[in-house]
Every structure is written in structure tokens, then in C-alpha cells.
Amino acid sequence: STFEPVEFDWSAEEFDLNCDSCSRVEMAITMDQVLKVRMVNEEGCEIHAEKEVAVSINRSVYAPNAFSPNGDGNNDWFYLQGEGYGTFEMTVQDRWGNVVFDTVNGQLNQAESGWDGKKRGKAVDRGLYIWSAKIIFADGAEKRAEGVINVM
């Protein structure tokens, strides 16, 4: 005969499940862990199962090498882009080392978190600027990145 569960009891080591007594669960995980379930049928027989879930996190970050902050709605912001969720701290300096932009709470993939090509409300000169950033991913992992951005 087939085991037909009528009761479920799910548990995870580190994260909350959307429903710990449903036949199907969903959860967002950012680190490896073990998912466990206890199932009971109408006769009161139990089955226990567990599955190790391994997470592969893509930590690639993309930064353009040029942008044109001229207000035309195309490439008006310099911001960091990447897979998944993360925040960043970023500094942009001119060729003399003067800070022209600084943020400590930028959000990956959100243009308005980045630099609009202005220093204290005034457009900077066209040319090359140096940027450096610390990206903090959802699981707490950090990555440093730097490069040159051409303001066109």
C-alpha cells in the first residue's frame, strides 16, 4: 500500500518556512542547510526525511565604464548591478583624488542609489573618474570592486 500523509511537520535550521504544516513549503535561503519533514498518515504511522540544501550564490557585479548624465533618460546614472540582492558603499574621485560622490547605503540594480554625475548639485566635467566600492550580499559576504568611469 502507499503512504498517504495527512499531517506534515517541516523544520529548517536557520530560516522560517512559509508554512510548517503544509504539504508543500517555500523559503528563501542564502546559506547551506538541512530541511527536515515529519509526515503522518491516517493510521498514525510516521515517516521522517531530511534533505541537505546547498546554495550557490552568484556574486558577480557589473559596473559600466561610461555614462552620460545629461538628463535624456538614457545612461544618466552610474550604479552597480548584480545578481540577487545586495547593498554597497561607493566612493567616486576625480583625477586629483577629490571625492565627488560617496554613498554608504546603495542598493544593487537601483539607478537612484548610484551617482548622477554631479558634485554638490553641479554637473562634473567630462572625463575619467575613479570609483571603489564594497558590496555586501544578502548572506553577509563582502566583495570589493574598483574601476574607472568615463563621464561623457
Side-chain angles (χ1 to χ4, degrees):
S1 80
T2 334
F3 186 86
E4 304 258 348
V6 294
E7 182 183 323
F8 298 86
D9 184 19
W10 294 90
S11 64
E13 294 174 343
E14 298 290 331
F15 294 92
D16 292 329
L17 303 165
N18 67 332
C19 176
D20 63 3
S21 61
C22 298
S23 62
R24 180 181 168 137
V25 296
E26 293 181 11
M27 60 189 229
I29 61 173
T30 58
M31 58 189 279
D32 295 355
Q33 66 176 289
V34 176
L35 181 61
K36 298 177 182 178
V37 63
R38 180 182 69 87
M39 297 173 281
V40 181
N41 68 6
E42 286 184 354
E43 290 80 35
C45 296
E46 293 185 12
I47 292 179
H48 296 261
E50 64 180 56
K51 176 71 176 172
E52 186 171 335
V53 180
V55 176
S56 174
I57 298 174
N58 182 345
R59 290 193 175 94
S60 62
V61 175
Y62 168 75
N65 58 12
F67 78 121
S68 58
N70 56 13
D72 68 356
N74 293 314
N75 299 317
D76 286 333
W77 293 83
F78 171 66
Y79 62 101
L80 301 180
Q81 301 165 49
E83 294 292 324
Y85 174 79
T87 60
F88 62 85
E89 300 170 6
M90 182 169 63
T91 301
V92 179
Q93 299 174 321
D94 63 19
R95 62 182 169 206
W96 298 283
N98 300 311
V99 174
V100 296
F101 174 77
D102 189 21
T103 186
V104 293
N105 197 23
Q107 302 289 319
L108 282 180
N109 305 314
Q110 292 186 13
E112 295 77 19
S113 298
W115 182 37
D116 63 359
K118 296 178 182 173
K119 178 181 179 180
R120 290 188 222 128
K122 183 180 174 200
V124 298
D125 293 332
R126 292 179 182 202
L128 298 178
Y129 293 79
I130 300 163
W131 65 271
S132 61
K134 178 172 79 170
I135 301 98
I136 305 153
F137 295 93
D139 64 351
E142 295 182 5
K143 179 178 184 175
R144 295 202 178 270
E146 58 187 26
V148 175
I149 181 73
N150 186 3
V151 176
M152 302 175 74

